[in-house]
């Protein structure tokens, strides 16, 4: 699945202003380690990735983003904040596309048989046999030993607290935002063994002591997304955040493996920075073989560069880390905003620690069904992106007087295909080939706010001016290290979370059949995830999200858009079914990824009211769309 999450630039606009501050359900203030008044309440208290290796890990200690100790690589160092430039990542997918053993087609993709053989992707045949995916069972309520280890680590973290000071220069976070580190176990079955370091950022609540409700922790998705910039939404005084900022400290963090935390890597970032990149669509059997070899080499690179960390790069461990962070911040219960893949982290946390959830907003939900994590989710996503790509082309055609790319969606597609062929032959500026074009225009499936710029850049290229397309799509060498890290974390977690087909023939068969009807993303998605076929480390069984939580979990708010491609809507429906007492707020007739991110008063009011007062509202509510973008720029 393509990585996904809300970017640092977007997150600052997350919540709309809502009336009334809240004083109810307030924790008592505590002191933080910098000597300033805190606001928490005291309480008890795994782009492409490679092979992991199991085995005994020696004890160690944590430096600044570096793991040391017996048997450890010295090369896992911090540096750089992941900037989610392409937002390629993550894990969610459309449950509704796969029902009763068949891949259900979008009406516009129907006609002629199913996308996969025998009318659909069969639950059993495609996911087992012929080297396919082993039977996928759900992880029991949780490795009790590891949850006990998380409680042990949380108690130690509460005692240690967090020493906040000026943020490191690489984090690019000005005062009054402050940063600190929290140590967590590498392996929660050995809570007193090797440790890794997580970087945490915080901006203090702006309200009075009586208004404060603790910390609001945030994860933007990925896997591989950095949440360190989240406090900027408070310090920049975004009007959408003003009332929430009075009640909560805004806390971001880099999850294990990411950015300023103990970091994973799978290849030299200089390799990733090189362009132009080839067209994702394979041209021949030999071309496919070359890409398979590249996926194998990438997996081997992960093993060489990050072998000791990879077996412990799982969503379950990220959720346990969140439990430790909560304790280190002296919060009795968790207040959490998770977007995209962050919703899966939230769902797993709620399953492991249901009594510790206070407020939880899950925006643009991953489908958490165990048999969807992660291979089946990717097949669903390919179809969902085809629908959203058609939405973009239809919008461009509607504004043909501005962009001159065609009066129908099909005509716009022909214009795009012509540009792609020209870039294969002559990369724009020597930098932008068909691969860069695909990566840039994939964002049109995530956010309609990029539609106007994307259409204008394509239009100008067609008319002989490539500069805008180069500016839009060219790789940024300054971001290479962070992009490499994001890709490494993405696949490390995806590969370790669940089994994947081991036989390339299964991937080739399924991708070929889906691509016939959903060509826009399918092959790009396949190559992104293919290293998981060659992953030699331990593979977990997906967590059975929601199991055992009935009557033990506070209401959770799920927010979703009906036409979201990165996290299709059926995933939100499935998550609500699994989390007893949860509510679902739906943005109708819209497809932007990250609904709390948009200026939609209906959605924003519901979210703010919930965060401030705990009022989750009705079990299901629809909100009107935030609207479609206006045409801007020019094709001339």
């Amino acid at each position: 699945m393509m990585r996904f999450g809300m970017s640092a630039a977007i997150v600052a606009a997350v919540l709309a202003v809502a009336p009334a501050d809240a004083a109810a359900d307030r924790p008592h203030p505590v002191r933080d380690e910098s000597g300033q008044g805190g606001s928490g309440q005291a309480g008890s208290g795994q782009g492409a990735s490679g092979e992991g290796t199991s085995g005994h890990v020696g004890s160690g200690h944590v430096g600044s983003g570096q793991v040391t100790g017996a048997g450890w690589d010295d090369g896992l160092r911090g540096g750089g904040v992941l900037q989610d430039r392409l937002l390629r990542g993550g894990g969610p997918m459309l449950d509704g596309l796969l029902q009763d053993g068949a891949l259900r087609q979008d009406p516009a993709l129907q006609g002629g048989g199913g996308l996969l053989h025998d009318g659909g992707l069969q639950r059993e045949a495609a996911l087992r046999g012929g080297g396919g995916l082993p039977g996928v069972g759900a992880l029991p309520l949780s490795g009790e030993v590891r949850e006990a280890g998380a409680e042990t680590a949380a108690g130690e973290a509460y005692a240690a607290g967090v020493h906040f000071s000026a943020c490191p220069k690489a984090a690019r976070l000005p005062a009054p935002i402050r940063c600190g580190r929290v140590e967590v176990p590498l392996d929660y079955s050995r809570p007193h063994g090797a440790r890794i370091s997580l970087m945490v950022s915080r901006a203090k609540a702006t309200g009075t002591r009586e208004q404060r409700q603790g910390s609001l922790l945030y994860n933007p998705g990925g896997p591989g997304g950095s949440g360190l910039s989240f406090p900027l939404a408070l310090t920049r005084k975004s009007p959408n955040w003003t009332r929430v900022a009075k009640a909560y400290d805004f806390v971001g963090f880099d999850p294990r493996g990411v950015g300023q935390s103990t970091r994973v890597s799978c290849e030299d970032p200089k390799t990733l920075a090189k362009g132009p990149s080839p067209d994702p669509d394979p041209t021949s059997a030999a071309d496919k073989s070359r890409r398979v070899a590249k996926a194998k080499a990438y997996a081997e690179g992960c093993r060489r560069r990050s072998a000791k960390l990879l077996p412990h790069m799982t969503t379950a461990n990220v959720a346990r880390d969140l439990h430790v962070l909560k304790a280190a911040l002296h919060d009795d219960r968790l207040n959490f905003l998770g977007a995209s893949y962050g919703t899966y982290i939230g769902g797993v946390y709620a399953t492991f620690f249901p009594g510790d959830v206070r407020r939880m907003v899950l925006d643009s939900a991953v489908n958490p069904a165990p048999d969807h994590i992660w291979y089946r989710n990717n097949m669903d996503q390919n179809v969902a992106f085809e629908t959203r790509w058609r939405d973009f082309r239809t919008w461009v055609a509607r504004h043909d007087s501005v962009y001159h790319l065609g009066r129908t969606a099909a005509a716009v597609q022909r214009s795009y295909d012509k540009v792609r062929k020209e870039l294969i032959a002559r990369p724009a500026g020597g930098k932008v080939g068909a691969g860069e074009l695909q990566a840039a225009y994939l964002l049109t499936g995530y956010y309609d706010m990029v539609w106007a710029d994307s259409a204008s850049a394509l239009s100008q290229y067609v008319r002989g001016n490539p500069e805008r397309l180069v500016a839009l799509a060219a790789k940024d060498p300054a971001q290479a290290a962070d992009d490499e890290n994001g890709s490494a974390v993405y696949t490390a977690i995806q590969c370790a979370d669940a089994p994947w087909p081991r036989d390339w023939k299964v991937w080739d068969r399924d991708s070929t059949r889906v691509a016939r009807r959903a060509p826009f993303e399918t092959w790009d998605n396949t190559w992104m995830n293919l290293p998981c076929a060659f992953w030699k480390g331990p593979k977990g069984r997906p967590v059975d999200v929601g199991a055992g939580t009935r009557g033990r979990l506070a209401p959770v708010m799920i927010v979703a858009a009906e036409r979201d491609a990165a996290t299709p809507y059926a995933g939100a429906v499935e998550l609500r079914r699994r989390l007893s007492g949860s509510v679902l707020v739906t943005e109708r007739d819209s497809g932007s990824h990250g609904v709390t991110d948009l200026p939609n008063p209906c959605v924003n009011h519901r979210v703010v009211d919930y965060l401030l007062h705990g009022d989750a509202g009705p079990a299901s509510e629809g909100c009107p769309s935030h609207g479609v973008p206006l045409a801007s720029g020019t094709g001339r």
Side-chain angles (χ1 to χ4, degrees):
M1 174 165 322
M2 312 311 292
R3 275 188 33 225
F4 54 89
M6 290 194 288
S7 72
I10 295 169
V11 75
V14 169
L15 298 177
V17 176
D21 299 325
D25 199 14
R26 264 193 313 278
H28 300 293
V30 300
R31 291 179 62 82
D32 72 5
E33 290 64 43
S34 64
Q36 301 172 345
S39 58
Q41 178 180 10
S44 60
Q46 279 163 104
S49 176
E51 304 175 349
T53 56
S54 58
H56 178 73
V57 177
S59 61
H61 68 276
V62 181
S64 297
Q66 180 177 3
V67 177
T68 60
W72 285 84
D73 280 338
D74 292 328
L76 299 172
R77 302 180 185 273
V81 180
L82 182 66
Q83 293 297 318
D84 274 359
R85 287 181 63 244
L86 299 181
L87 308 177
R88 302 163 48 113
M93 282 327 58
L94 187 55
D95 181 30
L97 292 176
L98 280 170
Q99 290 184 347
D100 301 324
L103 182 63
R104 195 179 76 224
Q105 301 174 42
D106 182 278
L109 299 177
Q110 290 177 351
L115 294 179
L116 299 176
H117 82 101
D118 297 332
L121 176 61
Q122 299 183 3
R123 281 179 180 264
E124 300 298 329
L127 299 180
R128 71 177 185 188
L133 201 63
V136 177
L139 191 68
L141 179 53
S142 99
E144 288 84 357
V145 171
R146 288 181 173 83
E147 270 50 84
E151 295 293 359
T152 297
E156 295 173 353
Y158 179 84
V162 186
H163 176 70
F164 284 100
S165 59
C167 294
K169 185 176 180 179
R172 300 186 288 276
L173 295 173
I177 298 172
R178 296 168 69 82
C179 292
R181 288 191 174 274
V182 175
E183 294 187 8
V184 298
L186 173 73
D187 181 349
Y188 278 94
S189 68
R190 297 170 182 166
H192 295 114
R195 295 289 181 115
I196 58 176
S197 170
L198 305 183
M199 176 65 79
V200 184
S201 61
R202 182 177 70 178
K204 301 295 289 293
T206 61
T208 65
R209 181 174 298 227
E210 290 71 27
Q211 289 174 311
R212 295 183 181 182
Q213 301 190 42
S215 305
L216 178 62
L217 282 81
Y218 170 72
N219 180 275
S226 169
L228 282 183
S229 62
F230 179 55
L232 289 172
L234 184 152
T235 61
R236 291 177 177 174
K237 300 181 180 179
S238 167
N240 289 339
W241 285 99
T242 301
R243 295 189 181 275
V244 177
K246 289 182 179 180
Y248 291 97
D249 296 345
F250 280 25
V251 177
F253 66 100
D254 276 351
R256 60 172 56 206
V258 176
Q260 298 292 306
S261 294
T262 302
R263 192 175 176 109
V264 299
S265 175
C266 289
E267 64 180 339
D268 186 340
K270 294 178 182 178
T271 301
L272 191 66
K274 293 178 180 178
S277 301
D279 191 334
D281 290 356
T283 58
S284 64
D287 186 25
K288 290 180 180 179
S289 294
R290 285 191 293 270
R291 297 177 196 250
V292 170
K294 184 177 180 180
K296 290 180 179 179
Y298 187 92
E300 174 61 20
C302 295
R303 186 196 65 79
R304 287 197 316 270
R305 296 170 74 97
S306 304
K308 300 302 181 182
L309 199 58
L310 293 184
H312 308 287
M313 290 293 296
T314 64
T315 302
N317 279 338
V318 175
R320 295 174 184 121
D321 292 344
L322 191 59
H323 194 58
V324 177
L325 287 175
K326 171 188 71 70
L329 292 163
H330 292 174
D331 284 315
D332 183 36
R333 290 186 292 158
L334 178 70
N335 305 299
F336 179 70
L337 170 61
S340 200
Y341 166 74
T343 67
Y344 188 53
I345 297 171
V348 172
Y349 183 94
T351 304
F352 287 176
F353 311 104
D356 288 277
V357 174
R358 180 176 179 272
R359 305 274 199 274
M360 182 174 284
V361 178
L362 303 179
D363 180 1
S364 304
V366 168
N367 190 323
D371 62 352
H372 282 62
I373 307 294
W374 292 110
Y375 182 78
R376 185 174 166 189
N377 270 345
N378 279 278
M379 291 297 172
D380 292 350
Q381 188 184 46
N382 296 333
V383 178
F385 261 97
E386 195 68 28
T387 298
R388 195 60 178 156
W389 173 239
R390 187 179 64 249
D391 288 348
F392 168 67
R393 291 184 286 116
T394 300
W395 178 87
V396 174
R398 190 177 304 131
H399 298 288
D400 185 57
S401 62
V402 177
Y403 301 116
H404 312 289
L405 291 169
R407 295 181 179 180
T408 65
V412 174
Q413 181 69 54
R414 288 192 293 271
S415 295
Y416 179 84
D417 289 341
K418 180 181 178 182
V419 171
R420 185 177 64 174
K421 290 178 181 178
E422 290 179 3
L423 294 177
I424 292 172
R426 294 181 304 278
K431 301 176 181 179
V432 175
E436 286 76 20
L437 182 75
Q438 166 70 18
Y441 282 81
L442 185 67
L443 288 180
T444 64
Y446 285 92
Y447 307 115
D448 57 25
M449 67 181 67
V450 307
W451 284 7
D453 284 345
S454 298
S456 181
L458 194 69
S459 178
Q460 290 194 29
Y461 179 88
V462 168
R463 278 147 189 81
N465 179 10
E467 284 79 8
R468 194 159 185 175
L469 183 63
V470 172
L472 180 75
K475 295 176 180 177
D476 180 1
Q479 287 296 128
D482 291 336
D483 289 344
E484 188 280 325
N485 173 241
S487 293
V489 173
Y490 165 77
T491 308
I493 288 180
Q494 294 260 306
C495 295
D497 262 0
W500 291 74
R502 305 290 291 175
D503 189 341
W504 158 243
K505 292 180 182 178
V506 174
W507 296 70
D508 191 21
R509 179 195 66 200
D510 293 344
S511 299
T512 298
R513 288 164 179 160
V514 172
R516 291 189 187 121
R517 298 296 180 85
F520 178 64
E521 188 203 12
T522 297
W523 283 109
D524 194 20
N525 211 355
T526 296
W527 307 130
M528 181 79 175
N529 291 283
L530 186 58
C532 291
F534 311 110
W535 185 266
K536 293 181 180 178
K539 301 164 191 66
R541 287 191 297 160
V543 174
D544 191 4
V545 169
T549 63
R550 183 175 294 275
R552 303 170 61 202
L553 180 65
V556 171
M557 177 169 285
I558 303 163
V559 187
E562 282 186 321
R563 299 181 71 79
D564 188 351
T567 53
Y569 182 71
V573 175
E574 175 67 10
L575 183 59
R576 184 185 62 175
R577 185 186 72 80
R578 288 175 167 271
L579 297 182
S580 177
S582 62
V583 303
L584 175 58
V585 179
T586 301
E587 186 182 29
R588 304 294 186 192
D589 301 318
S590 181
S592 278
H593 186 60
V595 182
T596 56
D597 192 38
L598 301 169
N600 187 320
C602 174
V603 173
N604 300 149
H605 177 78
R606 283 293 308 274
V607 171
V608 172
D609 200 49
Y610 168 71
L611 287 173
L612 294 182
H613 305 293
D615 180 12
S620 181
E621 180 176 349
C623 286
S625 171
H626 66 281
V628 296
L630 298 175
S632 62
T634 177
R636 297 187 185 280

